[in-house]
Amino acid sequence: MKKKHLTATLLLSLLLVSPAIQAQKKLLPAEQEIELKYGADRLGKRQDAAMQKFRDNRLGAFIHWGLYAIPGGEWNGKTYQGAAEWLKSWAKVPSNEWLQLMDQWNPQKFNAKKWAQMAKESGVKYVKITTKHHEGFCLWPSKYSQYTVANTPYKKDILGELVKAYNDAGIDVHFYFSVMDWSHPDWRYKINSEEDSVAFQRFLTFTDNQLKELATRYPTVKDFWFDGTWDASIKQNGWWTAHVERMLKELVPGVTINSRLRADDYGKRHFDSNGHLMGDYESAYERRLPDPVKDLHVTKWDWEACMTIPENQWGYHKDWSLSYVKSPVEVLDRIVHAVSLGGNMAVNFGPQPDGDFRSEEKELSSFIGKWMKKNGECIYACDYAGWAKQDWGYYTRKKDEIYMIVFNLPYSGQLTAKTPKGVQIAEATLLNGQSVKVTEVARNEYNIGIPTQTPNEPFVIKLKIKTSDSPVSKYKEALT
Ligand code: H76
């Protein structure tokens, strides 16, 4: 009997420690965790000031700018619907031919100060710039590659100008960096032989050098956002991803790193084989968001989503009519959606080859900026509120202030708010201070009045709350 029981327990625990069945949501009891050399460095959210700043920023812009902006989705007279920054791959252009686009890199309208001004006016607190995308072209004069801005007609250090201009405007700069590099002969998708292994180790050294170069040339960088890390070659070298994270953290105190860089001893990515987040924040919400009701587990760690304005165009594509383009309110909805679940949102821009932004992006940017100017207090430094989701929109929270961000107006003229146990709504106001009627309608349930003059855009109601543990209740449960 006892033996049987033991065998069953043993079997069960063996099953439980198998990395394949580890789910990020089901953490193992500590004693059942497996030993990892390259797993999570930390349990739970980072609590230092730099991480708090990353989190408080909440709204960022992503910038995809590279050689791909020049063809803008068109190669030899044919337009490709896929993401413009992948055109080299869609049109099967050999690297040497693709890299000749460098001869045309001469963005005469590029003006870093104007970009910074635009970012400032759009309300973003940080900008993530593609230092190098998959194509391998570097926006800084890297001494480890010939494929850089220095070897183009334009010559100037675009990245350096941007870092300075954004920082002068009080905007944090994050570096996007693609590990996968189509321009490098030593890049491998998979390590199949000793020769591959030797080449790939050379590639990793080259990548280390470029990263050290970025970290030391631009020491105000606040974050590295890695991409192009999903291939078997990286999963076979999880040690290297752990090494990069440590190396950058030594070089740049406080720097934050996304989970996408990381693979553990078993090649498990983002979350290690024990289910713990690697890196400082989860970065898999790309062009999608967690469900605000079903996916509340995301509020347990830091995360940042990123999105495109068309369905899937990051780099500049000439023809935005090929896919659905989100309206400014839809973009805003996604920003608020992310913050309501304790995440950040980076909205992508793909500047033109001449260094200017397309009109749709300028319009979106100014819409978001105007809205943030009026309503930003429900976004910056805000977090998941912990209140049950309602159909009219999203909640965010800053300490004891709860924000209702209303996207859908009900015909009843009343917005339902259900408070957690022991929490009452004391007062509701618009952000301009105008008061809004609050009616208690049942236990922990309120009707919040809609202002008579509703703005023709999403608006915010701020709730002041009070807490009492055991209020004398006039409400009785139904006997059924
Ligand atoms: C796939 C892929 C890449 N990851 C996104 C953030 C874009 O950079 C896209 O090209």
Side-chain angles (χ1 to χ4, degrees):
M1 194 49 195
K2 203 172 175 197
K3 203 172 166 203
K4 248 191 194 162
H5 176 74
L6 255 179
T7 333
T9 321
L10 199 75
L11 245 172
L12 191 74
S13 48
L14 269 176
L15 269 172
L16 279 172
V17 291
S18 150
I21 60 158
Q22 299 288 317
Q24 64 205 44
K25 290 159 232 170
K26 287 189 198 123
L27 294 178
L28 294 174
E31 66 276 10
Q32 285 176 16
E33 290 197 351
I34 57 170
E35 192 78 42
L36 290 171
K37 265 161 94 180
Y38 309 115
D41 288 327
R42 179 198 69 248
L43 301 183
K45 293 182 183 180
R46 237 177 83 175
Q47 299 295 354
D48 56 290
M51 190 72 216
Q52 191 61 46
K53 176 70 167 62
F54 172 97
R55 195 182 287 134
D56 287 351
N57 283 344
R58 285 302 186 218
L59 177 62
F62 221 133
I63 301 258
H64 274 70
W65 206 32
L67 298 177
Y68 42 80
I70 298 168
E74 187 188 328
W75 199 259
N76 284 338
K78 189 170 169 210
T79 299
Y80 292 78
Q81 297 210 12
E85 74 283 1
W86 278 72
L87 179 65
K88 177 189 178 300
S89 168
W90 312 141
K92 302 196 168 57
V93 188
S95 264
N96 56 349
E97 197 184 327
W98 180 264
L99 293 160
Q100 282 168 25
L101 287 167
M102 281 171 56
D103 299 342
Q104 295 174 58
W105 183 264
N106 199 5
Q108 288 302 313
K109 291 192 185 156
F110 173 68
N111 180 332
K113 280 193 184 142
K114 272 197 185 162
W115 284 30
Q117 187 61 26
M118 174 174 163
K120 185 99 195 150
E121 281 167 13
S122 77
V124 302
K125 299 284 187 195
Y126 64 100
V127 177
K128 304 180 98 77
I129 311 169
T130 49
T131 58
K132 176 179 90 167
H133 203 265
H134 312 333
E135 63 182 7
F137 177 63
C138 305
L139 281 191
W140 83 102
S142 175
K143 61 177 179 205
Y144 302 100
S145 168
Q146 43 179 310
Y147 311 119
T148 83
V149 280
N151 299 321
T152 65
Y154 192 71
K155 292 199 180 71
K156 287 186 261 182
D157 175 5
I158 302 251
L159 188 63
E161 290 189 20
L162 285 173
V163 170
K164 179 162 192 323
Y166 286 131
N167 285 170
D168 287 349
I171 292 171
D172 288 343
V173 172
H174 295 187
F175 285 169
Y176 165 106
F177 184 92
S178 171
V179 177
M180 175 167 77
D181 184 331
W182 295 331
S183 76
H184 202 290
D186 291 331
W187 163 255
R188 294 290 182 281
Y189 289 93
K190 200 168 177 231
I191 311 304
N192 288 317
S193 62
E194 184 53 29
E195 214 187 316
D196 281 346
S197 171
V198 172
F200 199 64
Q201 294 312 310
R202 273 199 306 265
F203 179 80
L204 296 179
T205 304
F206 152 76
T207 308
D208 277 358
N209 285 334
Q210 285 207 318
L211 290 169
K212 278 188 235 163
E213 188 180 41
L214 283 170
T216 46
R217 277 183 70 102
Y218 313 104
T220 63
V221 60
K222 295 287 181 271
D223 172 270
F224 279 82
W225 197 94
F226 288 92
D227 198 17
T229 42
W230 42 73
D231 286 300
S233 52
I234 303 287
K235 292 197 260 181
Q236 290 166 298
N237 284 280
W239 68 272
W240 177 80
T241 70
H243 146 80
V244 165
E245 182 172 343
R246 282 173 204 164
M247 174 181 89
L248 291 174
K249 285 182 173 172
E250 266 171 38
L251 289 170
V252 187
V255 76
T256 52
I257 312 273
N258 67 336
S259 64
R260 192 177 296 201
L261 166 68
R262 298 294 315 278
D264 77 358
D265 315 37
Y266 296 90
K268 179 95 173 47
R269 300 187 54 238
H270 295 278
F271 291 86
D272 71 15
S273 296
N274 291 319
H276 301 303
L277 180 72
M278 294 181 286
D280 300 312
Y281 60 97
E282 201 259 11
S283 59
Y285 285 101
E286 177 170 320
R287 294 186 293 125
R288 66 190 178 95
L289 281 166
D291 183 285
V293 176
K294 290 186 215 132
D295 295 330
L296 292 181
H297 53 266
V298 300
T299 60
K300 297 202 180 80
W301 50 78
D302 284 301
W303 59 279
E304 176 192 53
C306 55
M307 65 175 288
T308 50
I309 305 169
E311 199 270 320
N312 183 22
Q313 293 295 344
W314 299 86
Y316 173 75
H317 194 295
K318 288 178 194 167
D319 190 355
W320 267 17
S321 74
L322 298 173
S323 78
Y324 181 69
V325 177
K326 292 167 203 75
S327 71
V329 175
E330 287 173 304
V331 174
L332 185 63
D333 187 292
R334 283 162 171 79
I335 295 168
V336 178
H337 180 159
V339 177
S340 78
L341 291 169
N344 285 25
M345 175 57 92
V347 179
N348 183 69
F349 295 81
Q352 298 170 168
D354 65 2
D356 199 357
F357 287 80
R358 69 199 306 146
S359 57
E360 297 96 324
E361 290 183 349
K362 287 183 187 165
E363 281 154 28
L364 172 80
S365 172
S366 99
F367 171 85
I368 301 287
K370 280 185 197 132
W371 194 88
M372 289 298 290
K373 208 165 186 180
K374 268 184 271 174
N375 305 293
E377 72 165 277
C378 73
I379 299 292
Y380 306 126
C382 286
D383 212 332
Y384 170 59
W387 288 25
K389 170 91 171 79
Q390 301 296 330
D391 291 340
W392 43 254
Y394 305 98
Y395 290 110
T396 64
R397 174 179 203 141
K398 191 157 49 199
K399 300 206 174 80
D400 275 347
E401 314 218 279
I402 303 281
Y403 297 96
M404 301 168 59
I405 302 98
V406 181
F407 279 84
N408 313 303
L409 280 178
Y411 283 109
S412 67
Q414 306 277 7
L415 305 166
T416 298
K418 293 188 179 175
T419 58
K421 203 162 173 256
V423 175
Q424 295 96 46
I425 298 176
E427 194 194 339
T429 56
L430 298 181
L431 293 184
N432 64 13
Q434 197 185 317
S435 95
V436 170
K437 192 165 180 222
V438 179
T439 315
E440 188 182 289
V441 294
R443 191 205 302 264
N444 292 109
E445 189 173 330
Y446 296 80
N447 276 351
I448 310 292
I450 288 170
T452 35
Q453 280 189 314
T454 50
N456 58 355
E457 61 177 18
F459 65 94
V460 181
I461 297 175
K462 179 153 104 174
L463 306 177
K464 286 228 160 45
I465 56 171
K466 51 182 186 202
T467 48
S468 58
D469 288 339
S470 52
V472 186
S473 179
K474 55 189 176 199
Y475 300 112
K476 285 265 177 296
E477 301 294 346
L479 296 170
T480 58

